[in-house]
Amino acid sequence: MPCLQCTLVENASEEDALDELRSLGCSDFISSENENGQIEFFAQFPSSNSLPSTSKFVENLKLWTEDALVDWESQWSEHAEGYHDGVLEVEVPGKEQKLVLYPGPGFGDLSHPTTKLMLAFMFEMNLSDKTVVDIGCGSGILTLGALAKDAEYVWAVDIDHNALEHTDRNCKANPFLATNYSCIDPSSFVSLEKESTFILINMIRSEQEQAWSSLPHLHDLSGEVLSSGILKEEREEYLDLAASWGWILQKEKEDNGWLAFLFSRA
């Protein structure tokens, strides 16, 4: 499957860029901030015929094919904080051992403020009695964080089988953690025995809308939601959307213009 590597045009909206890529047939993507401070995308397409040649929202278009795959080790080496000797290390407050992650296609290498915000929130919390659902698990960094905080069980959910494999590999790379997790596609995630859940979702607003609508069996469960992927200027619009889902704002954090929120759900 061909993959387009590109960067966000200066002052363009990340959401507009992703809407455009999806309209051209983009089936999946990851994004991160490169060394120049630009948002960089890797977007998969069903065929090279649907790849854009020009765009209002992205530039520096580069095609990768199955014969020229992304060098994830190089990508993480260049952008990920705490990456050395082939692994990314993440300190967990109160734990002697660090989390380790191998490079791969899943989003979440600590190069983006939203990942840091999510972990900062999580590391302040007690998750020992909570069933956690990590929506869009990517590299598994938030799943690992939840397991490190002694979550009762973690469901790592993603539409990309490569991300699920990446999460599973990273979970297995940390043998000091419990193995109370599952990596699943949303279509396989049917119901939970518990009435209360702790939901993790780190995506831009349009992605959150799509992901949340694909998991209707979570909508009537009580608990909490930890969310990021929202720019400061989108705050009010996003909070209106969250309120329509029954999410009640409790706390928020900011890092370099990006926001993270802790919501309760009655």
Side-chain angles (χ1 to χ4, degrees):
M1 182 175 288
C3 177
L4 180 71
Q5 180 184 1
C6 52
T7 52
L8 188 67
V9 171
E10 186 176 0
N11 298 322
S13 161
E14 184 174 353
E15 193 165 305
D16 286 341
L18 293 176
D19 284 344
E20 180 184 55
L21 292 173
R22 279 192 217 94
S23 72
L24 294 168
C26 171
S27 58
D28 195 20
F29 75 94
I30 64 166
S31 63
S32 62
E33 188 172 322
N34 65 23
E35 69 275 12
N36 298 317
Q38 297 172 295
I39 299 297
E40 188 171 55
F41 301 104
F42 290 92
Q44 289 186 335
F45 286 82
S47 74
S48 57
N49 293 332
S50 57
L51 291 167
S53 56
T54 60
S55 167
K56 294 190 297 182
F57 305 110
V58 295
E59 59 188 356
N60 303 321
L61 285 71
K62 182 178 181 180
L63 173 64
W64 299 84
T65 66
E66 293 179 355
D67 295 323
L69 298 176
V70 177
D71 182 351
W72 293 112
E73 185 168 346
S74 175
Q75 289 290 320
W76 281 47
S77 177
E78 290 179 15
H79 306 308
E81 297 180 13
Y83 182 86
H84 56 85
D85 298 327
V87 296
L88 170 67
E89 294 188 334
V90 182
E91 292 188 6
V92 181
K95 299 286 185 180
E96 291 185 8
Q97 290 179 280
K98 296 179 181 179
L99 300 174
V100 298
L101 292 92
Y102 291 111
F107 176 79
D109 61 7
L110 282 184
S111 65
H112 199 275
T114 59
T115 310
K116 300 172 191 174
L117 285 167
M118 294 286 284
L119 288 176
F121 256 124
M122 292 172 66
F123 290 162
E124 294 172 358
M125 304 179 72
N126 177 11
L127 303 181
S128 60
D129 62 341
K130 299 186 183 297
T131 294
V132 177
V133 182
D134 182 5
I135 302 175
C137 58
S139 70
I141 191 166
L142 301 183
T143 290
L144 290 170
L147 291 171
K149 292 295 291 183
D150 304 313
E152 185 173 293
Y153 201 87
V154 183
W155 296 93
V157 184
D158 208 293
I159 60 173
D160 183 0
H161 75 276
N162 292 317
L164 294 175
E165 291 175 359
H166 191 192
T167 291
D168 189 48
R169 182 189 184 203
N170 283 331
C171 287
K172 290 174 178 174
N174 292 270
F176 70 96
L177 297 178
T179 57
N180 50 329
Y181 72 92
S182 295
C183 300
I184 58 172
D185 181 274
S187 63
S188 304
F189 189 41
V190 178
S191 62
L192 291 174
E193 294 181 2
K194 279 199 147 189
E195 294 183 355
S196 177
T197 57
F198 186 76
I199 292 170
L200 306 171
I201 184 165
N202 182 18
M203 304 175 182
I204 63 170
R205 180 173 56 82
S206 61
E207 288 293 317
Q208 287 199 26
E209 289 185 77
Q210 184 178 8
W212 189 242
S213 66
S214 73
L215 295 164
H217 36 280
L218 296 179
H219 295 184
D220 294 331
L221 300 179
S222 62
E224 295 164 296
V225 178
L226 184 56
S227 164
S228 192
I230 308 303
L231 288 166
K232 188 175 181 180
E233 56 266 30
E234 301 171 329
R235 179 180 183 275
E236 296 308 317
E237 185 178 6
Y238 177 70
L239 290 180
D240 286 343
L241 176 65
S244 74
W245 291 338
W247 299 2
I248 303 165
L249 181 62
Q250 302 297 317
K251 298 178 182 178
E252 62 185 278
K253 294 181 184 288
E254 179 185 349
D255 185 355
N256 288 313
W258 292 92
L259 302 174
F261 304 94
L262 179 65
F263 299 98
S264 62
R265 294 181 297 133

